[in-house]
Amino acid sequence: KLVQQSVIVRTKKKMEQVVDKRKKLVVISGCDRGFGRLLAEALTIKHDGPENNNNDNYLVLALTLTKEAAEELKAIKILAIQCNVTSDNDVHTMREYVETVVKKENGVLHTIVNNAGIANPGDFVWFHDMEIYKHVMDVNFFGQLRVTQALLPIMLRTSRVVGGRILNMSSVCDTTASPSNSAYSASKFALEAWSDSLRL
């Protein structure tokens, strides 16, 4: 039994050492500007100083709504692909691209950052149709579900040892609704509930 335990411990340590050397892929949606773009740049661009040496372990894939934003990120050496999170076709193409990157880099899908979102308040009293509500919910809620559903199998397969992370960007509006902000608040309430269920 002692020999078996010793072999298991050594094997586990070897596995951890192998995983530590693999690139950790971080997929971030909504990188045209704002938080998404800042995070993509922070994890990719090399800076002087020992506190930033961990950047070498990360490989970032930035998802953008526009082709122009993707080209801007590529110009500063950040992997980027145009991906509208409301489009099943775009999300499918993105998933295939992630599979290619993971295989090519012998990496792990370490983190999904669901950052894409729009802030259309939505004053229900003055709306004459549901299109604004549908669009806000499609981006802020269903968009995050689409990306996660597409990438979760890859994460579970490749990040088994190191453990994957799913970060859903929400808002203070996910707990407190405010006047004339119903569409946005509703999308964030939904996102909070889904995130809790996924976590559990």
Side-chain angles (χ1 to χ4, degrees), residues 61-129:
L61 173 60
L63 310 183
T64 65
L65 179 62
T66 67
K67 183 178 180 180
E68 292 75 19
E71 293 302 322
E72 287 176 8
L73 289 166
K74 289 176 185 177
I76 55 175
K77 309 299 182 186
I78 296 177
L79 277 180
I81 184 173
Q82 184 180 5
C83 179
N84 182 343
V85 298
T86 69
S87 165
D88 289 333
N89 287 336
D90 279 11
V91 171
H92 177 74
T93 300
M94 177 272 298
R95 183 191 187 284
E96 292 183 333
Y97 186 75
V98 168
E99 285 276 23
T100 301
V101 171
V102 167
K103 186 175 181 180
K104 179 181 177 183
E105 298 290 338
N106 187 31
V108 298
L109 176 52
H110 185 261
T111 307
I112 302 168
V113 182
N114 285 308
N115 173 70
I118 56 173
N120 192 323
D123 189 344
F124 186 76
V125 176
W126 307 110
F127 282 179
H128 301 291
D129 60 56

Side-chain angles (χ1 to χ4, degrees), residues 109 112 151-161 163-164 166:
L109 176 52
I112 302 168
L151 296 181
L152 190 56
I154 305 173
M155 174 178 280
L156 293 174
R157 188 182 76 241
T158 62
S159 294
R160 193 176 300 273
V161 177
I166 300 172

Side-chain angles (χ1 to χ4, degrees), residues 122-139:
D123 189 344
F124 186 76
V125 176
W126 307 110
F127 282 179
H128 301 291
D129 60 56
M130 293 288 105
E131 291 309 310
I132 291 178
Y133 273 78
K134 289 178 181 178
H135 185 55
V136 171
M137 192 63 75
D138 204 15
V139 177

